[in-house]
Every structure is written in C-alpha cells, then in structure tokens.
Amino acid sequence: MLYKHTATELSAMLKAKKITTVELINDIFDRIEKTESKLGSFTLLKKESALEEAKKVDEKIARGEELLPLEGIPIAIKDNMVSKGDLTTSASKILSNYEGIYDATVVKRLKDAGAIIIGKTNMDEFAMGSTTKSSYIKESKNPWDLERTPGGSSGGSASSVGGGQVPLSLGSDTGGSIRQPAAFCGLVGLKPTYGRVSRYGLMAFASSLDQIGPMGRSVEDVAALFNVIGGYDEMDATSMELEMPDFTMNLDGNVKGLKIGIPKEYFIDGLNPEIKKVTEEAIENFRKLGAEIVPISLPNTEFAPATYYIIAPAEASSNLARFDGVRYGYRASSYDGIEDMYIKTRSEGFGPEVKRRIMIGTYVLSAGYYDAYYKKAQKVRRLIKNDFEKAFNEVDVILTPATPGTSFKLTDKKTPVELYLEDIFTIPANLSGIPGLVIPAGKVDNLPVGVQLLGKAFDEATILKAGDAYEKAYTKMEIPEL
C-alpha cells in the first residue's frame, strides 16, 4: 500500500528506515502489474535497473549517509525525453526503434539526485494532441473513469500518478499538455517559465513553446521535483542563468494579502456551467483564506488559440524535417530512389495529426503566406504577452479555469478544431512564457476539476505558495479504486 503515499511522505519513511528502497520499488511494480492493463500508462518499464538503483540507495542508508530529498523515489518520465540506452519514441512509428545515446539534462539531474526512473510514459505522437489517442503505441485511460481520456499530450504521465502507479512524473507542456491532463486526473501540474528548465534532450514539438515540468499528487511533491530539474544549463541556449531557490521552503499556507486577478475573458459562453461553479467556489475560498480578489481584463485572450495553431505547427514542420529515414529512426522498406524513400518514410512513419500540423506549418511559412499568417501571429503573440505584463502590475497571481469541461470519453467524436479548443485556457501561458500551475479544486459527476494559477515570469514560488495554501485548506489527495 506504499503507492498511496506522496513522494515527500515516502522520502521521510526511507530516511526513518521504516521501509527500504527495494520494498518501495517492489510495491510500485506490484501496483503497476495490477493496473497497467487498465490504464496503459507506460511505453517502457525498467524494473531490473530500478531495483539495482534501489539497492544502492539502501546501501547508502545502511552506511548512515544522508539522503537527498528525492533519493530513492520512483519517477516516470514522458517518452519524449532522451535517456541513454532506452527506447525513446515520442509515441511515433518513425522513432519506434530509436534508442537514446545520451541523457537529457532533466534525466541526468534526476539520476544525480538519486531518483529512480522506473519507465517512460505514453503520450500523443510528438506531443500533438489532447487525448493520447494520436499515440502510435496505445491509448491511455483516465483512472477516474476508464472509458475517458486522461488528457494529453502527457496523458501517460498523468494516469501513472493519478492511478497510484508512481508518486511523481515528468511531462512536457507546449499548449497545456501538463496542465490539462493534471486537471482531468485530479493532480498538481506545473508548467514552469520558459527557460527555467533545460529542454536539452527533449524531442522538440514547437521550440519557442515547449517546457518540461513536474506532475504529482501534492504541491510540495511538485516543488521538490521542480527543485531538481530546474536551473541553468549551458547545453540549452534558451536556458536562463538565474538563481533557483528551494521552492519547498516557501510553502507556509499563508496567502493573506495576496492579490489574485480574475480575468473576465476566461469565463466564456462555452465554459461548462459546473466548471464555472467550481472555479467560482475556488475564488471564494481564496478570499476566505485572506487573498484579495481583483477583477482584471486580458483583452487579447480570444486570439490565443488561432495564434498558437499558426506558430506551433510552423515550428513543428521545421523541427520534424529531420525525420527522413536517413539519419535515424524508421525507414520505408521499399522505394524507388531517394525522393521516393523520403516520401514513403514520412508518409508511413507519421500519424494523421502530425501530418496535419506539418501541412499547416509548411503552408503558413511558405513565401506567399508568411506575412499574412506567421508574421501576423507573432505580432498578436506580443499583444497577448503585453496583456499579462500589464495585469501583473496590478496583481500577484491570476486565477482561471483550467479546462472548458471535464474529461471526455475516448469514443467521443470530436473534430480537430474541437480538440484544439480543449487547451483554450492554457495556451496563453505558453505564448507568453509565464508559469502556470493546475491544482485540484473539486469534482463534477465524480470527475476531477482543476483551476489554474498563472504567475509572473520566473515567479513560480508565488503560484506554488498559493496552490499549497489552497491544497492544505480545501483539497485532499485521492487515488481512485481500480
């Protein structure tokens, strides 16, 4: 039953010698063996190497040496983060045989911190999607209702934590891919400020938007994992050389005097009334905790989805050009000349959603349409960023709904545009580069609902502090029966 504990609790139990690391890893894999056929969280499991690492931690404990905060704690990582010697597929056929030859910076930092990587999690192909249904490998399921999606693209990372298979995981967030699945699965999910966490070794979807972040069952757990993976990295040209405070030290449950902005543009007609009700209750709860609620306006919010779906596919079409069957990965088995090999490899190797975005991206970057679409989208992106900068002159944090509705059924027939709008409340943070935290705030029809806290650039400390205060006062960690 160790799987019911948070990472912070497990770390304390290891240090107090109430459990051994080997017992913990065995318990985690027992849980995975009982639930994986239902959840479909993982694309790769590493039990043998995890137990080897666990024995080393136990030997360290036996020697009386002090453990680091996440030492011995099992963690799952999304299958678009390269790890040496492991298959790293981005859930795509075109990389189905690709084995990592180095460790991504986040992977290296986890290993250096003594955390135990137990496997890779399922995702939408190249992180493009909101359901995990675009994965070449499998669909993942929501632990609260196995007929529903855990969200995407970090759906496997969310279902693994939500289903009690692992206490912590890493996801990546290009337009909401950590925060939307966290909301659907009743978890805490953090998209850090762009440049706070190294993207070296992350398989790129849209380079100016992608960011790696932690998912867990408590704000303290997420802050502890963020402490390990964040900070400057000379291997990433976009990494910011700024001080990384200890984000767990600021979680005192006190938000008195904190100014929380409520943007009217996020309470749109398409918002599920029950989601709106939960969000309004969360606002009132923050007021009871002593926060000051301030109405604000972010007038260019309505342009965010259209802007995103020009910029993100444009960058994707460029990033994915490298997958051509020549350098690495899948290659078509029969072809007539090199041009035919390119065409057949990419036609067979990519799924429909990835092809759709490559086509859109190539179109908006083409000579005749660059000014009309891509250049204009970049100007609107600046306006959206300006809105946030102006708002943060008045408030410390902005609170919004995380998603327009609760998790939907995997069999629901949604058009690509309907799926794109699932990220309508999360996309602006990626376009602006600011941090966003989703925390559980309630349930509708026994399905989790989250709210989103947005912060100033590089001020993750304030949104984590606010999320922790809310969690301590109003939410309780739960793992559904499976």
Side-chain angles (χ1 to χ4, degrees), residues 179 266 398-402 425-426 429 436-438 450-454:
R179 290 162 288 157
Y266 279 66
I398 294 172
L399 189 151
T400 78
F425 299 138
T426 51
L437 178 76
V438 160
V451 294
Q452 177 178 229
L453 300 170
L454 301 173

Side-chain angles (χ1 to χ4, degrees), residues 124-125 127-132 134 152-153 177 180 205 353 357 423:
D124 284 298
E125 184 179 8
M128 299 179 191
S130 305
T131 61
T132 70
S134 73
S153 64
S177 292
Q180 184 241 29
F205 163 12
E353 183 57 36
R357 300 198 193 197
D423 293 336

Side-chain angles (χ1 to χ4, degrees), residues 3 31 39 41 141-144 155-169 181 185-187 215-217 478-482:
Y3 69 85
R31 175 70 176 175
L39 293 174
S41 304
K141 310 291 174 59
N142 190 313
W144 289 92
S157 295
S159 61
S160 66
V161 178
Q165 295 177 316
V166 67
L168 282 167
S169 66
C185 294
L187 304 175
M215 306 176 79
R217 294 199 293 271
E478 293 180 83
I479 298 175
E481 295 295 328
L482 290 170

Side-chain angles (χ1 to χ4, degrees), residues 201-450:
L202 173 70
M203 292 177 168
F205 163 12
S207 303
S208 76
L209 302 163
D210 298 337
Q211 189 64 184
I212 296 171
M215 306 176 79
R217 294 199 293 271
S218 76
V219 173
E220 187 175 15
D221 275 11
V222 163
L225 182 49
F226 183 40
N227 281 346
V228 171
I229 64 170
Y232 175 67
D233 177 20
E234 63 180 10
M235 301 299 288
D236 177 359
T238 62
S239 176
M240 290 295 288
E241 196 166 359
L242 293 173
E243 181 185 356
M244 272 288 288
D246 183 339
F247 290 97
T248 62
M249 299 300 289
N250 196 37
L251 309 179
D252 58 8
N254 182 9
V255 292
K256 287 182 180 175
L258 191 76
K259 289 186 177 179
I260 299 181
I262 310 299
K264 61 183 180 183
E265 292 82 4
Y266 279 66
F267 293 83
I268 57 177
D269 290 341
L271 178 63
N272 180 314
E274 295 297 324
I275 299 283
K276 183 180 180 184
K277 183 180 176 184
V278 170
T279 307
E280 289 173 341
E281 288 173 355
I283 294 168
E284 186 55 32
N285 288 338
F286 268 112
R287 193 196 306 275
K288 292 176 182 173
L289 289 173
E292 180 182 347
I293 305 302
V294 181
I296 62 169
S297 177
L298 298 169
N300 292 293
T301 298
E302 65 175 302
F303 305 119
T307 303
Y308 175 87
Y309 280 103
I310 291 173
I311 293 173
E315 294 185 11
S317 71
S318 176
N319 281 324
L320 271 57
R322 74 192 71 175
F323 303 116
D324 55 10
V326 175
R327 299 170 181 83
Y328 42 73
Y330 171 79
R331 176 184 291 182
S333 56
S334 63
Y335 45 84
D336 183 14
I338 190 162
E339 185 174 345
D340 191 45
M341 189 275 287
Y342 286 152
I343 293 170
K344 286 183 176 174
T345 293
R346 289 170 65 82
S347 297
E348 295 170 12
F350 290 131
E353 183 57 36
V354 174
K355 290 177 188 172
R356 182 179 296 114
R357 300 198 193 197
I358 290 174
M359 293 288 286
I360 294 170
T362 304
Y363 179 80
V364 301
L365 288 176
S366 60
Y369 298 97
Y370 178 88
D371 286 353
Y373 294 103
Y374 186 74
K375 190 174 178 181
K376 188 175 290 184
Q378 291 290 11
K379 290 180 178 178
V380 177
R381 180 180 189 174
R382 182 69 243 185
L383 294 177
I384 293 168
K385 193 170 189 291
N386 289 347
D387 283 352
F388 281 110
E389 289 176 352
K390 184 179 177 182
F392 283 124
N393 287 329
E394 303 176 33
V395 299
D396 305 303
V397 172
I398 294 172
L399 189 151
T400 78
T403 57
T406 54
S407 172
F408 46 92
K409 290 192 174 181
L410 285 157
T411 53
D412 284 353
K413 301 294 183 186
K414 287 180 176 280
T415 66
V417 172
E418 287 174 325
L419 289 171
Y420 295 167
L421 291 175
E422 288 294 321
D423 293 336
I424 189 169
F425 299 138
T426 51
I427 281 171
N430 299 81
L431 291 172
S432 306
I434 61 174
L437 178 76
V438 160
I439 56 170
K443 287 181 188 168
V444 171
D445 298 331
N446 201 39
L447 294 171
V449 174

Side-chain angles (χ1 to χ4, degrees), residues 11-172:
S11 178
M13 292 164 76
L14 287 173
K15 290 172 183 172
K17 299 183 181 180
K18 292 181 178 178
I19 58 170
T20 69
T21 317
V22 169
E23 287 172 346
L24 172 58
I25 296 301
N26 278 324
D27 188 85
I28 287 292
F29 274 96
D30 284 347
R31 175 70 176 175
I32 291 172
E33 286 167 12
K34 290 173 183 172
T35 58
E36 179 59 12
S37 62
K38 298 177 181 177
L39 293 174
S41 304
F42 290 91
T43 58
L44 174 72
L45 286 165
K46 295 161 55 73
K47 184 175 182 179
E48 188 175 333
S49 63
L51 284 170
E52 288 176 6
E53 294 302 316
K55 290 175 184 173
K56 293 177 185 175
V57 177
D58 283 340
E59 288 168 3
K60 186 173 178 179
I61 294 172
R63 293 195 297 270
E65 297 179 30
E66 188 173 347
L67 293 186
L68 297 168
L70 290 185
E71 197 151 13
I73 301 300
I75 291 175
I77 61 175
K78 190 172 177 177
D79 198 8
N80 58 354
M81 300 170 200
V82 178
S83 54
K84 189 174 182 179
D86 297 329
L87 281 177
T88 307
T89 71
S90 266
S92 177
K93 181 179 178 180
I94 210 159
L95 284 175
S96 56
N97 60 357
Y98 176 70
E99 187 175 291
I101 57 173
Y102 67 101
D103 281 333
T105 294
V106 292
V107 173
K108 182 177 185 304
R109 289 182 177 178
L110 285 173
K111 290 180 177 177
D112 291 346
I116 298 177
I117 297 172
I118 64 160
K120 298 281 186 76
T121 55
N122 191 35
M123 55 183 284
D124 284 298
E125 184 179 8
F126 282 106
M128 299 179 191
S130 305
T131 61
T132 70
K133 290 178 69 173
S134 73
S135 168
Y136 170 68
I137 300 167
K138 63 170 78 168
E139 289 179 353
S140 296
K141 310 291 174 59
N142 190 313
W144 289 92
D145 182 341
L146 298 175
E147 293 184 353
R148 295 177 186 269
T149 174
S153 64
S154 306
S157 295
S159 61
S160 66
V161 178
Q165 295 177 316
V166 67
L168 282 167
S169 66
L170 286 184
S172 66

